[in-house]
Amino acid sequence: TSVKSRFAKSLINCHKGNSTEDILYHLDLGTKTHNLPAMFGDIKFVCVGGSPNRMRAFAQFMHRELGLAGDGEDVADICAGSDRYAMYRAGPVLSISHGMGIPSISIMLHELIKLLHHAKCRDVTIIRIGTSGGLGIKAGSVVITDTAVDSSFQPRFEQVVLGDVVVRSTELDKDLAEELLACSREIPDFPTLIGHTMCTYDFYEGQGRLDGALCSFSSEKKLEYLRRAYDAGVRNIEMESTAFAALCGLCGLKAAVVCVTLLDRLEGDQIRASHEVLWEYQQRPQRLIAALIRKRLGLGPALLPAD
């Protein structure tokens, strides 16, 4: 099934056909100002992550992994006219930043999904690459999300629309998760596992941290909550996965979330690893995604280590 035909059933926007122009404001793109099919029609993989610098580095990494001409160092920001998001491409791979938290990723996804629709893209796989706090697993582990859950450990994304609470499913593509896990066996130097990812609206109190400007609970209550999360199958915590899973699922996109853990939250709140260690950790999901893309394109195992 093509992305185009999926959108036909689930762009679920009865008003889109009434407009002669669609301005993707936060991406600085539009249907009248840009030839979106020419620019993006051959995209097969979309990778999104919080940091513009990280997504630029990922595009450069994929440029090398795919053996494209040049060194990729001068990769251009397609959204340079906007200061909200950054977008790069390397062959059939689009690499986009989404900022921090559900509001930021939701805005980007609405406009990205419309971009893919207008560009007539087909059979697109979309993957969020990120960092997270682990639960009961070693720092540096990579978690492939099977289901994104909310702060009550439920597989749902709740959004208020015109004053009503709308609840949407947060299941991700299980075949894609298993394919990623199989690819991880080619990269034995770090642990990779499948588990639930808990998505919160906040980095501090919302994730049970004791070290924010405010804290309304005891360390005992914090540990009791995090242990309940672990018992419910949660293996990592971040701030985007429920919105990502819900939007992609509604629009028929095969989606995955792949995050590295920077610490074990059962052991502490603050991230104390050195910049060098954290940089290497952040490359681990990128290496796994590169292995998947190379396999899909028939290029075999990865040839280049991430820099």
Side-chain angles (χ1 to χ4, degrees), residues 45-118:
F45 305 94
V46 178
C47 299
V48 305
S51 160
N53 286 340
R54 190 187 309 151
M55 299 320 291
R56 183 175 188 271
F58 177 70
Q60 293 169 333
F61 174 49
M62 288 310 307
H63 188 100
R64 297 191 298 273
E65 284 288 297
L66 299 179
L68 302 177
D71 58 12
E73 293 302 311
D74 58 349
V75 62
D77 181 2
I78 300 168
C79 297
S82 168
D83 60 358
R84 297 296 183 184
Y85 305 104
M87 178 188 294
Y88 307 93
R89 70 169 293 171
V93 181
L94 202 60
S95 178
I96 313 170
S97 69
H98 59 60
M100 291 178 66
I102 284 173
S104 186
I105 194 172
S106 294
I107 294 166
M108 187 279 291
L109 282 173
H110 274 277
E111 297 186 12
L112 168 66
I113 291 167
K114 292 197 297 174
L115 183 157
L116 296 173
H117 171 71
H118 293 310

Coordinates of all heavy atoms in Angstrom, one line a residue, residues 45-118:
F45 N 12.8 6.7 3.5 CA 13.0 6.7 4.9 C 13.0 8.1 5.5 O 13.7 9.0 4.9 CB 14.3 6.0 5.2 CG 14.5 4.6 4.6 CD1 15.1 4.5 3.4 CD2 14.0 3.5 5.3 CE1 15.3 3.2 2.8 CE2 14.1 2.3 4.7 CZ 14.8 2.1 3.4
V46 N 12.3 8.3 6.6 CA 12.3 9.6 7.3 C 12.7 9.3 8.7 O 12.1 8.5 9.4 CB 10.9 10.2 7.3 CG1 10.9 11.6 8.0 CG2 10.4 10.5 5.8
C47 N 13.8 10.0 9.1 CA 14.3 9.8 10.5 C 14.2 11.2 11.2 O 14.6 12.2 10.6 CB 15.7 9.3 10.4 SG 15.9 7.7 9.6
V48 N 13.6 11.1 12.4 CA 13.3 12.4 13.1 C 14.0 12.3 14.5 O 14.1 11.2 15.1 CB 11.8 12.7 13.2 CG1 11.2 12.7 11.8 CG2 11.1 11.7 14.1
G49 N 14.5 13.4 15.0 CA 15.1 13.4 16.3 C 15.1 14.8 16.8 O 14.9 15.8 16.1
G50 N 15.3 15.0 18.1 CA 15.1 16.3 18.7 C 16.1 17.4 18.3 O 15.6 18.5 18.0
S51 N 17.3 17.1 18.2 CA 18.4 18.1 18.0 C 18.7 18.4 16.5 O 19.0 17.4 15.8 CB 19.6 17.7 18.7 OG 20.8 18.4 18.2
P52 N 18.7 19.7 16.1 CA 19.1 20.0 14.7 C 20.5 19.5 14.4 O 20.8 18.9 13.3 CB 19.0 21.5 14.6 CG 18.0 21.9 15.6 CD 18.2 20.9 16.8
N53 N 21.5 19.7 15.3 CA 22.8 19.2 15.1 C 22.9 17.7 15.0 O 23.7 17.2 14.1 CB 23.7 19.7 16.3 CG 24.0 21.2 16.2 OD1 23.8 21.8 15.2 ND2 24.4 21.8 17.3
R54 N 22.2 17.0 15.8 CA 22.2 15.5 15.7 C 21.6 15.0 14.4 O 22.2 14.1 13.8 CB 21.4 14.9 16.9 CG 21.6 13.4 17.0 CD 20.6 12.8 18.1 NE 20.7 13.6 19.3 CZ 19.7 13.7 20.2 NH1 18.5 13.1 19.9 NH2 19.8 14.4 21.3
M55 N 20.6 15.7 13.9 CA 20.0 15.2 12.6 C 20.9 15.6 11.4 O 20.8 14.9 10.4 CB 18.6 15.8 12.5 CG 17.6 15.3 13.6 SD 17.9 13.5 14.1 CE 17.3 12.7 12.7
R56 N 21.6 16.7 11.6 CA 22.6 17.0 10.5 C 23.7 16.0 10.5 O 24.1 15.5 9.4 CB 23.1 18.4 10.7 CG 24.1 18.9 9.7 CD 24.5 20.3 9.9 NE 25.3 20.8 8.8 CZ 26.6 20.8 8.6 NH1 27.3 20.2 9.6 NH2 27.3 21.2 7.6
A57 N 24.2 15.6 11.7 CA 25.2 14.6 11.8 C 24.7 13.3 11.2 O 25.5 12.6 10.6 CB 25.7 14.5 13.2
F58 N 23.4 13.0 11.5 CA 22.9 11.7 11.0 C 22.8 11.7 9.4 O 23.1 10.7 8.8 CB 21.5 11.5 11.6 CG 20.8 10.2 11.0 CD1 21.3 9.0 11.4 CD2 19.8 10.3 10.1 CE1 20.7 7.8 10.9 CE2 19.2 9.1 9.6 CZ 19.7 7.9 10.0
A59 N 22.4 12.9 8.9 CA 22.4 13.0 7.4 C 23.8 12.8 6.8 O 24.0 12.1 5.8 CB 21.8 14.3 7.0
Q60 N 24.8 13.4 7.4 CA 26.2 13.2 7.0 C 26.6 11.8 7.1 O 27.3 11.2 6.2 CB 27.1 14.1 7.8 CG 26.8 15.6 7.5 CD 27.6 16.5 8.5 OE1 27.8 16.1 9.7 NE2 27.9 17.7 8.1
F61 N 26.3 11.1 8.2 CA 26.6 9.7 8.4 C 25.9 8.9 7.3 O 26.6 8.0 6.8 CB 26.1 9.3 9.8 CG 26.3 7.9 10.2 CD1 27.4 7.2 9.9 CD2 25.2 7.2 10.7 CE1 27.6 5.8 10.2 CE2 25.3 5.8 11.1 CZ 26.5 5.2 10.8
M62 N 24.7 9.1 7.1 CA 24.0 8.3 6.0 C 24.5 8.6 4.6 O 24.6 7.7 3.8 CB 22.5 8.6 6.0 CG 21.7 8.0 7.2 SD 22.1 6.2 7.5 CE 21.7 5.5 5.9
H63 N 25.0 9.8 4.4 CA 25.7 10.1 3.1 C 26.8 9.2 2.9 O 27.0 8.6 1.8 CB 26.1 11.6 3.1 CG 26.6 12.1 1.8 ND1 25.8 12.8 1.0 CD2 27.8 11.9 1.2 CE1 26.5 13.1 -0.1 NE2 27.7 12.6 0.0
R64 N 27.6 9.0 4.0 CA 28.8 8.1 3.9 C 28.3 6.6 3.8 O 28.9 5.8 3.0 CB 29.7 8.3 5.1 CG 30.3 9.7 5.1 CD 31.4 9.7 6.2 NE 31.0 9.4 7.5 CZ 30.5 10.3 8.4 NH1 30.3 11.6 8.0 NH2 30.1 10.0 9.6
E65 N 27.4 6.2 4.6 CA 26.9 4.8 4.6 C 26.3 4.4 3.3 O 26.5 3.2 2.9 CB 25.8 4.7 5.7 CG 26.4 4.6 7.1 CD 27.1 3.3 7.4 OE1 26.5 2.3 7.3 OE2 28.3 3.4 7.6
L66 N 25.7 5.3 2.6 CA 25.1 5.0 1.3 C 26.0 5.2 0.1 O 25.7 4.9 -1.0 CB 23.8 5.9 1.1 CG 22.7 5.7 2.1 CD1 21.5 6.6 1.8 CD2 22.3 4.2 2.1
G67 N 27.3 5.6 0.4 CA 28.3 5.8 -0.7 C 27.9 6.9 -1.7 O 28.2 6.7 -2.9
L68 N 27.3 7.9 -1.2 CA 26.9 9.0 -2.1 C 28.1 9.8 -2.5 O 29.1 9.9 -1.8 CB 25.8 9.9 -1.5 CG 24.5 9.1 -1.1 CD1 23.6 10.1 -0.4 CD2 23.9 8.5 -2.3
A69 N 28.0 10.5 -3.6 CA 29.1 11.4 -4.1 C 29.4 12.5 -3.1 O 28.5 13.1 -2.5 CB 28.8 11.9 -5.5
G70 N 30.7 12.8 -3.0 CA 31.1 13.9 -2.1 C 31.2 13.4 -0.6 O 30.9 12.2 -0.3
D71 N 31.7 14.3 0.3 CA 31.9 13.9 1.7 C 30.6 14.1 2.5 O 30.6 13.7 3.7 CB 33.1 14.5 2.3 CG 33.0 16.1 2.2 OD1 31.9 16.6 2.0 OD2 34.1 16.7 2.5
G72 N 29.7 14.8 2.0 CA 28.4 15.1 2.8 C 28.5 16.2 3.8 O 27.6 16.5 4.5
E73 N 29.7 16.8 4.0 CA 29.9 17.8 5.0 C 29.1 19.0 4.7 O 28.8 19.8 5.7 CB 31.4 18.1 5.1 CG 32.2 17.0 5.7 CD 31.7 16.5 7.0 OE1 31.5 17.3 7.9 OE2 31.5 15.3 7.2
D74 N 28.8 19.3 3.5 CA 28.1 20.6 3.1 C 26.6 20.3 2.9 O 26.0 21.1 2.2 CB 28.7 21.2 1.9 CG 28.7 20.2 0.7 OD1 28.4 19.0 0.9 OD2 28.9 20.7 -0.5
V75 N 26.1 19.3 3.6 CA 24.6 19.0 3.5 C 23.8 20.2 3.8 O 24.1 20.9 4.8 CB 24.3 17.8 4.3 CG1 24.5 18.1 5.8 CG2 22.8 17.4 4.1
A76 N 22.8 20.6 3.0 CA 22.1 21.8 3.1 C 20.8 21.6 3.9 O 20.2 20.6 3.9 CB 21.7 22.3 1.8
D77 N 20.5 22.6 4.8 CA 19.2 22.6 5.5 C 18.1 23.1 4.6 O 18.0 24.2 4.2 CB 19.4 23.6 6.7 CG 18.1 23.6 7.6 OD1 17.1 22.9 7.3 OD2 18.1 24.4 8.6
I78 N 17.2 22.1 4.3 CA 16.1 22.4 3.4 C 15.1 23.4 4.0 O 14.4 24.2 3.3 CB 15.4 21.1 3.0 CG1 16.3 20.2 2.3 CG2 14.2 21.4 2.1 CD1 15.8 18.7 2.2
C79 N 15.1 23.5 5.3 CA 14.2 24.4 6.0 C 14.9 25.6 6.6 O 14.6 26.2 7.6 CB 13.5 23.7 7.2 SG 12.5 22.3 6.8
A80 N 16.0 26.0 5.9 CA 16.8 27.1 6.4 C 16.1 28.4 6.5 O 16.5 29.3 7.3 CB 18.0 27.3 5.4
G81 N 14.9 28.6 5.8 CA 14.1 29.8 6.0 C 13.3 29.9 7.2 O 12.7 30.9 7.5
S82 N 13.3 28.8 8.0 CA 12.6 28.7 9.3 C 13.6 28.4 10.4 O 14.6 27.7 10.2 CB 11.5 27.6 9.2 OG 11.0 27.3 10.5
D83 N 13.4 29.0 11.6 CA 14.3 28.7 12.7 C 13.6 27.7 13.7 O 14.1 27.5 14.8 CB 14.7 29.9 13.4 CG 13.5 30.7 14.0 OD1 12.4 30.3 13.8 OD2 13.7 31.7 14.7
R84 N 12.5 27.0 13.2 CA 11.9 26.0 14.1 C 12.4 24.6 14.0 O 12.6 23.9 15.0 CB 10.4 26.0 13.7 CG 9.7 27.3 14.0 CD 9.7 27.7 15.5 NE 8.9 29.0 15.7 CZ 8.9 29.5 16.9 NH1 9.5 29.0 17.9 NH2 8.2 30.7 17.0
Y85 N 12.6 24.2 12.7 CA 13.1 22.8 12.5 C 14.2 22.9 11.4 O 14.3 23.8 10.7 CB 12.0 21.9 12.0 CG 10.8 21.9 12.9 CD1 9.6 22.6 12.6 CD2 10.8 21.2 14.1 CE1 8.5 22.6 13.4 CE2 9.7 21.2 15.0 CZ 8.6 21.9 14.6 OH 7.5 21.9 15.5
A86 N 15.0 21.8 11.4 CA 16.0 21.6 10.4 C 15.8 20.3 9.6 O 15.3 19.3 10.2 CB 17.4 21.6 11.0
M87 N 16.0 20.3 8.3 CA 15.7 19.2 7.5 C 16.9 19.0 6.5 O 17.3 19.9 5.8 CB 14.4 19.4 6.7 CG 14.1 18.3 5.8 SD 12.6 18.7 4.7 CE 11.3 18.8 5.9
Y88 N 17.3 17.7 6.4 CA 18.4 17.4 5.5 C 18.1 16.1 4.8 O 17.2 15.3 5.3 CB 19.7 17.2 6.3 CG 20.1 18.3 7.2 CD1 19.7 18.3 8.5 CD2 20.8 19.4 6.7 CE1 20.0 19.4 9.4 CE2 21.2 20.5 7.5 CZ 20.8 20.5 8.9 OH 21.1 21.5 9.7
R89 N 18.7 15.8 3.7 CA 18.5 14.6 3.0 C 19.8 14.0 2.5 O 20.8 14.7 2.2 CB 17.5 14.7 1.9 CG 17.9 15.4 0.6 CD 16.9 15.2 -0.5 NE 16.9 13.8 -0.9 CZ 15.9 13.3 -1.8 NH1 15.0 14.1 -2.2 NH2 16.0 12.0 -2.2
A90 N 19.8 12.6 2.5 CA 20.9 11.9 2.0 C 20.3 10.8 1.1 O 19.8 9.8 1.6 CB 21.8 11.3 3.1
G91 N 20.3 11.0 -0.2 CA 19.7 10.0 -1.1 C 18.2 9.8 -0.7 O 17.5 10.8 -0.6
P92 N 17.7 8.6 -0.5 CA 16.3 8.4 -0.1 C 16.0 8.6 1.3 O 14.9 8.2 1.8 CB 16.1 6.9 -0.5 CG 17.4 6.3 -0.2 CD 18.5 7.3 -0.6
V93 N 16.9 9.2 2.1 CA 16.7 9.4 3.5 C 16.5 10.8 3.9 O 17.4 11.7 3.5 CB 17.9 8.8 4.3 CG1 17.7 9.0 5.8 CG2 18.2 7.4 4.0
L94 N 15.4 11.2 4.6 CA 15.2 12.5 5.0 C 15.4 12.5 6.5 O 15.0 11.6 7.3 CB 13.7 12.9 4.7 CG 13.4 14.4 4.7 CD1 14.2 15.1 3.6 CD2 11.9 14.5 4.4
S95 N 16.2 13.5 7.0 CA 16.5 13.6 8.4 C 16.0 15.0 8.9 O 16.4 16.0 8.4 CB 18.1 13.5 8.5 OG 18.5 13.7 9.9
I96 N 15.2 15.0 9.9 CA 14.5 16.2 10.4 C 14.5 16.3 11.9 O 14.3 15.3 12.6 CB 13.0 16.2 9.9 CG1 12.9 15.8 8.5 CG2 12.4 17.5 10.2 CD1 11.4 15.5 8.1
S97 N 14.8 17.5 12.4 CA 14.7 17.7 13.9 C 13.2 18.0 14.2 O 12.5 18.5 13.4 CB 15.6 18.9 14.3 OG 15.1 20.1 13.8
H98 N 12.9 17.6 15.5 CA 11.5 17.9 15.9 C 11.4 18.7 17.2 O 10.3 18.9 17.7 CB 10.7 16.6 16.0 CG 11.3 15.6 17.0 ND1 11.5 15.8 18.3 CD2 11.6 14.3 16.8 CE1 11.9 14.7 18.9 NE2 12.1 13.8 18.0
G99 N 12.6 19.1 17.8 CA 12.5 19.8 19.1 C 12.2 18.9 20.2 O 12.3 17.6 20.1
M100 N 11.8 19.5 21.4 CA 11.6 18.7 22.6 C 10.1 18.7 22.9 O 9.5 19.8 23.0 CB 12.4 19.3 23.8 CG 13.9 19.1 23.6 SD 14.8 19.8 25.0 CE 14.2 18.8 26.4
G101 N 9.6 17.5 23.2 CA 8.2 17.4 23.7 C 7.1 17.3 22.7 O 7.3 17.4 21.5
I102 N 5.9 16.9 23.2 CA 4.8 16.5 22.3 C 4.4 17.7 21.5 O 4.1 17.5 20.3 CB 3.7 16.0 23.2 CG1 4.0 14.5 23.6 CG2 2.3 16.1 22.5 CD1 3.0 13.9 24.6
P103 N 4.2 18.9 22.0 CA 3.7 20.0 21.1 C 4.7 20.2 19.9 O 4.2 20.4 18.8 CB 3.7 21.3 22.1 CG 3.5 20.7 23.4 CD 4.3 19.4 23.4
S104 N 6.0 20.2 20.2 CA 6.9 20.5 19.1 C 6.9 19.4 18.0 O 6.9 19.7 16.8 CB 8.3 20.7 19.7 OG 9.2 21.1 18.7
I105 N 6.9 18.1 18.5 CA 6.9 17.0 17.5 C 5.6 17.0 16.7 O 5.6 16.6 15.6 CB 7.3 15.7 18.1 CG1 7.7 14.7 17.0 CG2 6.2 15.1 19.0 CD1 8.2 13.3 17.5
S106 N 4.5 17.3 17.4 CA 3.2 17.2 16.8 C 3.1 18.2 15.6 O 2.6 17.9 14.5 CB 2.1 17.5 17.8 OG 2.0 16.5 18.7
I107 N 3.5 19.4 15.8 CA 3.5 20.4 14.7 C 4.3 20.0 13.6 O 3.9 20.0 12.4 CB 4.0 21.8 15.3 CG1 3.1 22.4 16.3 CG2 4.2 22.8 14.1 CD1 3.7 23.5 17.1
M108 N 5.6 19.5 13.8 CA 6.4 19.0 12.8 C 5.8 17.9 12.0 O 5.8 17.8 10.8 CB 7.8 18.6 13.3 CG 8.8 18.3 12.2 SD 8.6 16.6 11.6 CE 9.1 15.6 13.0
L109 N 5.2 16.9 12.7 CA 4.6 15.7 12.1 C 3.4 16.1 11.2 O 3.3 15.5 10.1 CB 4.2 14.7 13.1 CG 5.3 13.9 13.7 CD1 4.8 13.0 14.9 CD2 6.0 13.0 12.7
H110 N 2.5 17.0 11.7 CA 1.4 17.4 10.8 C 1.9 17.9 9.4 O 1.4 17.5 8.4 CB 0.6 18.5 11.5 CG -0.4 18.0 12.4 ND1 -1.7 17.6 12.0 CD2 -0.4 17.8 13.8 CE1 -2.4 17.2 13.0 NE2 -1.7 17.4 14.1
E111 N 3.0 18.7 9.5 CA 3.5 19.3 8.2 C 4.3 18.3 7.4 O 4.2 18.3 6.2 CB 4.2 20.6 8.5 CG 3.3 21.7 9.2 CD 3.9 23.0 9.4 OE1 5.0 23.3 8.8 OE2 3.3 23.8 10.1
L112 N 5.0 17.5 8.1 CA 5.8 16.4 7.4 C 4.9 15.5 6.7 O 5.1 15.1 5.6 CB 6.7 15.7 8.4 CG 7.3 14.4 7.9 CD1 8.3 14.7 6.8 CD2 8.0 13.6 9.1
I113 N 3.8 15.0 7.4 CA 2.9 14.1 6.8 C 2.2 14.7 5.6 O 2.0 14.0 4.5 CB 1.9 13.5 7.8 CG1 2.6 12.7 8.9 CG2 0.8 12.8 7.2 CD1 1.8 12.3 10.1
K114 N 1.8 15.9 5.7 CA 1.3 16.6 4.5 C 2.3 16.7 3.4 O 1.9 16.6 2.2 CB 0.7 18.0 4.9 CG -0.5 17.9 5.8 CD -1.3 19.2 5.8 CE -0.4 20.4 6.4 NZ -1.1 21.7 6.3
L115 N 3.5 17.0 3.7 CA 4.6 17.1 2.7 C 4.7 15.7 2.0 O 4.8 15.7 0.7 CB 5.9 17.4 3.4 CG 7.2 17.6 2.5 CD1 8.2 18.5 3.3 CD2 7.9 16.3 2.2
L116 N 4.8 14.6 2.7 CA 4.9 13.3 2.1 C 3.7 13.1 1.2 O 3.8 12.5 0.1 CB 5.0 12.2 3.1 CG 6.2 12.3 4.0 CD1 6.1 11.2 5.1 CD2 7.5 12.1 3.2
H117 N 2.5 13.5 1.6 CA 1.3 13.4 0.8 C 1.4 14.2 -0.5 O 1.1 13.6 -1.6 CB 0.1 13.8 1.6 CG -1.2 13.9 0.8 ND1 -1.9 12.8 0.4 CD2 -1.9 15.0 0.5 CE1 -3.0 13.2 -0.2 NE2 -3.0 14.5 -0.2
H118 N 1.7 15.5 -0.4 CA 1.8 16.3 -1.6 C 2.9 15.8 -2.5 O 2.8 16.0 -3.7 CB 2.1 17.8 -1.2 CG 1.0 18.4 -0.4 ND1 -0.3 18.4 -0.9 CD2 0.9 19.1 0.7 CE1 -1.1 19.0 0.0 NE2 -0.4 19.5 1.0

